[in-house]
Amino acid sequence: MSLSPSPRTQAGASQSGRKILLAVDASAESEDALQWTLANMYRPGDVLHFLHIVPRQEPATTYGAPPVDFVPQQNPKSVQRLAEQGLSFIKERLLPMLGDMQPEPVVHIVKSDTDTDSIGNVLCQRAEALAVVAVVMAGHSKSKVGDFFMGSVTNFCTHHCKKPVLVVH
């Protein structure tokens, strides 16, 4: 596993396989999306890119404020802790599902703002920069009210990403 694309991985991907971007968070739905990708889309030689986005801000609910507000991160170490937790989830729960897959998957941990548009933009921009054939995302089941107030990164990506977006439910 590499934390950023190595020349070997990039060269191997362009010669032998496709690049597939999996947007992951620390959820069972991310595991389901990976299982679906392996069963239905992955071909030997493809390069899997895991993208985990770490928020630079915490929802204001942490501080007792309404859920639609965000406040600046109070503890600068929180961002690093969240990045480490995301990487740990990928290492402990996702990578073991791959066995000894070659080429090795690439893990991207990106720090971003936490509103739906900014996270969605990061996903779409990374998909374009990597020239992936598709973005695979888990569809989290939120209510329509939750989507209205908190937004949906999946919904944003399906409407704004220039690469195909596959939503696993």
Side-chain angles (χ1 to χ4, degrees), residues 1 8 16 42-47 98-105:
M1 174 204 64
R8 181 190 63 80
S16 63
Y42 176 81
R43 296 188 296 219
D46 286 350
V47 179
L98 304 178
D100 59 354
M101 177 183 290
Q102 292 296 321
E104 292 180 351

Side-chain angles (χ1 to χ4, degrees), residues 23-102:
V24 300
D25 56 15
S27 70
E29 289 88 351
S30 291
E31 292 176 276
D32 294 342
L34 176 57
Q35 287 177 340
W36 183 91
T37 302
L38 294 173
N40 298 289
M41 188 174 183
Y42 176 81
R43 296 188 296 219
D46 286 350
V47 179
L48 297 179
H49 288 261
F50 294 107
L51 175 60
H52 178 74
I53 299 175
V54 177
R56 282 191 280 219
Q57 296 177 335
E58 292 184 68
T61 52
T62 305
Y63 305 101
V68 293
D69 294 331
F70 288 86
V71 296
Q73 192 68 264
Q74 298 298 314
N75 179 358
K77 293 182 182 178
S78 292
V79 173
Q80 184 60 32
R81 187 183 75 246
L82 290 171
E84 290 168 1
Q85 288 172 347
L87 184 58
S88 177
F89 173 80
I90 292 168
K91 284 181 176 179
E92 294 170 12
R93 306 262 303 268
L94 300 181
L95 294 181
M97 296 168 65
L98 304 178
D100 59 354
M101 177 183 290
Q102 292 296 321

Side-chain angles (χ1 to χ4, degrees), residues 99-164:
D100 59 354
M101 177 183 290
Q102 292 296 321
E104 292 180 351
V106 181
V107 176
H108 305 267
I109 306 289
V110 177
K111 297 172 182 132
S112 175
D113 295 325
T114 53
D115 68 338
T116 300
D117 290 357
S118 61
I119 293 173
N121 273 324
V122 169
L123 276 163
C124 294
Q125 290 170 2
R126 189 57 60 111
E128 283 187 66
L130 292 170
V132 300
V133 294
V135 177
V136 180
M137 306 177 71
H140 295 283
S141 45
K142 286 193 285 188
S143 68
K144 294 286 183 197
V145 174
D147 274 351
F148 177 76
F149 285 111
M150 297 300 284
S152 168
V153 174
T154 304
N155 188 39
F156 180 92
C157 290
T158 58
H159 287 92
H160 295 92
C161 199
K162 295 179 182 174
K163 298 293 181 177

